[in-house]
Amino acid sequence: MANYVTVSCLGPRPLAVPSDVSDEEAIARMIAHWQAQLDRVLPDRPDLIVLPEACDRPDPLTFPLDRRLSYYRARKDRIRDFFADVAKRHSCYIAYPAHTEAEDGMWLNAMQLIDRAGEVLGAYRKNHLTPDEYEKTNILYGREAPIFECDFGRVAAAICFDLNFEQLLRRYAAQKPDLILFPSMYHGGLMQGYWAYACRSYFAGAVAGAPCTIVTPLGETAASSTNYYSFITTRVNLDYVVLHIDENGAKFPDIKRKYGPSVVIHDPGYLGCVLLTSESKDVTADDIVEEFGLELLDDYFARADRSRHEPGRMEP
């Protein structure tokens, strides 16, 4: 059945804070900055708000590393708790990416996912750092690729430089999330669509100072922020399947004749596959797959590969 989720992504440039202000003043300015940003999307009543990488780090051009560490230690979890209060009051999830200190004095570049009750559902720690993140700022590499079970679906996360590494992509593709969250300082370009298509997943990118995007499981941009406004809110339907046209295509007219506008079959062109989405209150996309004997894209590719390896089918 239709499973609509309203997603907001925010991508303002890092807040410039003078280095000579106190830690308390810097924290107060950061909270005020993010309250103003959130006020731009909260009227749309999002289910999920995604913030950019290291969202509460002042601009390094005005706030050097030594000041930043002092600020972080004074900040502790206070800005996270501010976002948790917003999440609870507005009954939404918030993806809060920040640098946090580990018990051994090293640092983590992490995204904590706050749930509708204002509790931390879990955290993803950036797996693939740029060399300077470890060598100059003592940030540890993450190792896990968790899936967060939200009330609307299964959510994964990648942060900035992660998008360049196939190892993490393959781990997520195997887990089949409904939505990938991407807090970042780097846009990623074509890699956004590549990740969305490879994982058969929606993709929500919150990029500081660059376009924020929502990308469909077929790699198409569904929504993007502009040079005028550094935020977007859009509604996506997570009751979908990705199907190859081959063999399935002959059944599409019958599906449309029976369900009409309650089932949308979208062809992006050139890929040879479609996104089938249920708009029905009674029938899910998986129900349609079962009823009409459709084959999912990944199953079709797996069958094609098995066929290739049957005895006698490959050239000597």
Side-chain angles (χ1 to χ4, degrees), residues 35 38-39 72 95 97 112 128 151-152 165 168 176 212 222 262 264 266 275 312:
Q35 184 63 70
L38 291 169
D39 286 345
Y72 283 156
Q112 298 177 68
H128 299 281
D151 57 17
F152 55 78
F165 293 87
L168 184 60
K176 302 185 185 304
C212 295
S262 294
V264 175
H266 172 65
L275 187 70

Side-chain angles (χ1 to χ4, degrees), residues 5 15-16 19-20 49 68 95 105 127 168 177 222 255 303:
V5 180
L15 179 66
S19 62
D20 59 354
I49 299 172
R68 196 156 72 238
N127 278 213
L168 184 60
I255 295 171
R303 180 163 64 92

Side-chain angles (χ1 to χ4, degrees), residues 3 10 16 41 45 83 121 164 175 185 197 215 258 271 281 283 285 316:
N3 179 20
L10 291 162
V41 299
R45 298 179 183 173
F83 286 118
L121 182 62
N164 295 291
Q175 297 184 78
M185 294 283 177
Y197 176 67
V215 182
K258 180 170 182 179
L271 274 179
K281 295 180 180 178
V283 179

